[in-house]
């Protein structure tokens, strides 16, 4: 048996993934000439291994892109939320300044207590 041929378990162990992942990708390979070793276990040629590896990398890349897009969306939502909170706070500060000015005007209009007590 050639050393280029590997079982599903050997590939899974080598690549650090589950056998089920490899079995899933085997479904997309042409079924003709599927080879088996002396024990009757399915083995994959170098070409089949390469195709599966390529599919797994593409799937991982797509997943990374999807995760990056989700993170970007969350960051955008967080920024938008912070902007909204900031605008509300700025409005409240403005209202408080106005109230403060109104109170100062009222205080200025009151006669001086020391002068009225004399």
């Amino acid at each position: 048996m050639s050393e280029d041929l590997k079982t599903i378990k050997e590939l899974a162990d080598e690549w650090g993934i589950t056998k089920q992942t490899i079995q899933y990708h085997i479904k997309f390979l042409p079924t003709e000439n599927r080879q088996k070793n002396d024990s009757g276990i399915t083995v994959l040629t170098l070409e089949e291994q390469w195709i599966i590896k390529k599919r797994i990398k593409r799937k991982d890349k797509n997943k990374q892109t999807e995760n990056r897009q989700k993170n970007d969306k969350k960051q955008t939502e967080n920024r938008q939320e912070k902007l909204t909170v900031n605008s509300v706070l700025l409005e409240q500060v403005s209202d408080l300044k106005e109230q403060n000015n109104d109170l100062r005007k009222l205080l200025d209009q009151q006669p001086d207590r020391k002068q009225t007590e004399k």
Side-chain angles (χ1 to χ4, degrees), residues 4 30 32 40 43 51 59 67 89 94-95 97 114 116:
D4 293 340
E32 68 234 15
V43 289
I51 292 169
K59 194 168 188 177
N67 287 340
L89 289 173
S94 176
D95 289 346
K97 282 181 178 181
K114 288 182 184 177
T116 55

Side-chain angles (χ1 to χ4, degrees), residues 55-92:
R55 285 182 55 84
I56 290 171
K57 282 185 178 181
R58 185 174 351 129
K59 194 168 188 177
D60 285 346
K61 192 179 246 183
N62 289 344
K63 193 167 223 161
Q64 288 173 351
T65 301
E66 186 177 303
N67 287 340
R68 191 172 26 256
Q69 289 171 342
K70 284 180 184 177
N71 285 340
D72 289 349
K73 184 178 179 184
K74 282 181 185 177
Q75 286 178 346
T76 301
E77 289 170 354
N78 286 343
R79 282 189 202 114
Q80 196 65 30
E81 188 175 318
K82 287 177 183 178
L83 286 173
T84 302
V85 168
N86 282 344
S87 66
V88 167
L89 289 173
L90 285 172
E91 190 176 320
Q92 288 177 344

Side-chain angles (χ1 to χ4, degrees), residues 8-22 53 56 60:
I8 294 170
K9 178 163 179 26
E10 290 171 337
L11 280 180
D13 291 344
E14 183 179 317
W15 293 346
I17 58 177
T18 64
K19 293 187 303 182
Q20 289 83 357
T21 299
I22 292 179
K53 186 73 166 180
I56 290 171
D60 285 346

